[in-house]
Amino acid sequence: MSDADKTFVIVGAGHAAGQAVQSLRLFGFEGKIVLIGDEPYLPYQRPPLSKAFLSGDVGIDRVEFKPPEFYTEGEANVDVHLNTRATAIDRQAKTVTTDAGDVVAYDKLLLTTGSRVRRLDFLPGADLGGIYYLRTIDDVEAIKTRFGSGKKAVIVGAGYIGLEVAAVCAKHGLDVTVLEMEERVMARVTAPLLSDFYHRVHTEEGVKIEYGVKVVGFEGEGDVARVLTEQGQNFDADLVVVGIGILPNVELAQEAGLACDNGIVVNETGQTGDPDIFSAGDCTNHPNDLLGHRLRLESVHNALEQAKACASAMLGKPKPYHQIPWFWSDQYDLKLQIAGLSQGYDQLVVRGNPDEGRSFAAFYLKDGVLIAVDAVNAAPEFLMSKKLIAQKARVAPEKLEDTSIPMKEMASNA
């Protein structure tokens, strides 16, 4: 059978799905592509949702992965099924069943089912109006209806999403309180020095941050009015946004008998245990030779690059995906760019002074090897560190912290 006679089905309509469609056509696939997504939107970018889209600086057209005509009228020519949920995979018959009652046959199947937010539905009052989770365009549109100068916003969770939402709310004149169970912001992903810096920045903008606080319920008449905590404190609220992490959507794969372990288990090309089923994005547990272990990444870069690898492998041209992960977070005028994974570091080297300015970098070393960087308004440090981390480079700490040495010279010092 020629490629022109084949059908490739993509379940999920996020970053990875959009990239897979583009890559399949770019790599020469001439067959039928079917895209099944449970939202009413074509693939769009999620990072701006808690940043520029929430703030109103950009519209929906700026978060779309590609304009609508790309899928329906342009080169992609995709059979699109939106507002449709895939409910079952029959691996023997090679079909996907949807909640609309359709049974779609596939030659190759790509699962880009992504992730969902952790929820507090088990708490009293969790069904009150005004309590939101930020994951979709509709979530953001609903949150924005609650904006108003002087209104009280309570953010549950001081990770990237929570702090980004807090920054936008503060810019819109809301009275913002962040509740965090840990003893510092971004505790699970960055060093105390970065946490201290971002705590200071947020408090200077008027945001109140409460640590060691566990939310146990919500009160109000129809709409939320108070957030209740285990410590006995009550926080008045006109708006609550919960940002306490996400979970991979593996249920469809699991019910089809595919291996899942903190994500859908795939190899270096995105292939599952079934040779005709692939997976990419937040939902995958994949190997990374550069890091030396398996992992699951909640990263746009991972979704895009893994989707490219899957598209190539689906066409019989496997190209292993092994790259250094990177992320970013926009808060106020600060762009935090992260490369690598800092877990297990034994030395922190700081370039620049976070107490005196708003541009610096923190380098994480383990046994003398650079494993990660947090760069705040410091693009050269971020870009060069990505290369050095991939090389498992050893750079003298005194040179890393010396701002008189350009970052581009660090490679020669490794």
Side-chain angles (χ1 to χ4, degrees):
M1 180 188 296
S2 70
D3 278 352
D5 298 319
K6 293 180 179 178
T7 297
F8 287 0
V9 175
I10 302 173
V11 175
H15 266 98
Q19 182 62 61
V21 169
Q22 183 178 10
S23 294
L24 284 170
R25 292 308 188 205
L26 183 65
F27 297 161
F29 181 61
E30 297 179 350
K32 183 178 181 180
I33 299 177
V34 180
L35 178 66
I36 302 171
D38 60 6
E39 289 188 59
Y41 305 101
L42 288 163
Y44 62 88
Q45 306 172 64
R46 294 194 189 274
L49 297 186
S50 58
K51 307 175 182 72
F53 187 63
L54 178 61
S55 69
D57 293 338
V58 303
I60 289 180
D61 60 319
R62 293 282 299 279
V63 301
E64 292 172 337
F65 188 82
K66 288 285 186 180
E69 55 269 23
F70 170 79
Y71 301 92
T72 56
E73 302 171 12
E75 58 191 82
N77 189 23
V78 179
D79 180 8
V80 176
H81 299 254
L82 300 180
N83 270 328
T84 303
R85 186 170 61 89
T87 57
I89 300 168
D90 185 328
R91 290 169 53 190
Q92 185 171 0
K94 297 181 69 171
T95 61
V96 175
T97 300
T98 75
D99 59 358
D102 296 322
V103 178
V104 184
Y106 66 84
D107 292 288
K108 300 290 183 184
L109 173 63
L110 175 61
L111 301 176
T112 61
T113 47
S115 52
R116 63 187 183 278
V117 296
R118 292 180 181 271
R119 300 181 64 90
L120 297 177
D121 293 340
F122 56 92
L123 295 182
D127 57 346
L128 289 169
I131 301 174
Y132 298 100
Y133 300 82
L134 199 158
R135 190 63 181 164
T136 69
I137 286 176
D138 289 343
D139 293 336
V140 177
E141 296 290 12
I143 291 170
K144 288 195 287 190
T145 66
R146 298 273 173 165
F147 280 5
S149 182
K151 288 190 174 182
K152 295 183 180 296
V154 174
I155 314 299
V156 181
Y160 295 136
I161 295 296
L163 294 182
E164 288 169 0
V165 172
V168 173
C169 287
K171 286 172 62 178
H172 278 77
L174 279 76
D175 181 349
V176 184
T177 300
V178 177
L179 307 181
E180 170 56 48
M181 288 184 61
E182 302 290 341
E183 296 304 316
R184 57 188 178 90
V185 302
M186 301 187 294
R188 291 178 286 276
V189 294
T190 197
L193 178 137
L194 268 293
S195 296
D196 292 345
F197 173 78
Y198 274 91
H199 173 93
R200 175 167 59 82
V201 168
H202 278 276
T203 54
E204 288 174 351
E205 296 288 342
V207 175
K208 298 176 286 293
I209 306 177
E210 301 285 342
Y211 297 105
V213 176
K214 181 180 179 180
V215 173
V216 294
F218 308 93
E219 286 184 345
E221 297 294 331
D223 282 351
V224 67
R226 285 169 299 282
V227 179
L228 311 180
T229 72
E230 189 175 67
Q231 290 67 31
Q233 296 168 284
N234 296 338
F235 295 90
D236 292 342
D238 301 297
L239 162 69
V240 175
V241 180
V242 180
I244 54 174
I246 62 176
L247 297 168
N249 292 323
V250 302
E251 291 77 11
L252 185 66
Q254 208 162 34
E255 290 169 6
L258 298 173
C260 295
D261 180 12
N262 184 31
I264 302 169
V265 176
V266 299
N267 65 15
E268 66 275 7
T269 68
Q271 189 178 49
T272 69
D274 185 316
D276 293 320
I277 303 179
F278 297 76
S279 187
D282 288 6
C283 61
T284 67
N285 178 322
H286 58 276
N288 187 310
D289 281 356
L290 294 176
L291 299 176
H293 59 85
R294 299 186 69 90
L295 72 165
R296 186 177 67 81
L297 286 173
E298 300 161 10
S299 156
V300 171
H301 173 253
N302 173 68
L304 298 179
E305 296 303 316
Q306 198 173 35
K308 294 176 186 177
C310 285
S312 186
M314 290 166 75
L315 293 172
K317 302 174 182 178
K319 296 178 181 178
Y321 161 63
H322 301 293
Q323 296 187 23
I324 294 300
W326 60 270
F327 319 83
W328 81 94
S329 176
D330 293 331
Q331 300 170 41
Y332 307 109
D333 62 328
L334 304 172
K335 179 172 285 293
L336 169 61
Q337 294 173 290
I338 306 103
L341 300 174
S342 62
Q343 288 82 357
Y345 76 95
D346 54 31
Q347 186 176 8
L348 185 73
V349 179
V350 182
R351 180 182 176 89
N353 190 338
D355 294 327
E356 296 180 357
R358 295 167 82 88
S359 175
F360 66 96
F363 300 96
Y364 298 82
L365 283 73
K366 182 177 182 181
D367 298 327
V369 175
L370 181 63
I371 61 170
V373 66
D374 290 337
V376 178
N377 290 346
E381 282 74 7
F382 167 70
L383 293 170
M384 183 53 66
S385 292
K386 282 203 298 182
K387 298 178 181 179
L388 294 172
I389 294 166
Q391 296 168 2
K392 294 182 169 58
R394 294 177 179 271
V395 184
E398 62 271 18
K399 292 181 178 179
L400 282 174
E401 65 185 4
D402 188 346
T403 56
S404 70
I405 302 177
M407 281 303 298
K408 63 183 178 182
E409 294 183 16
M410 291 297 171
S412 62
N413 293 323

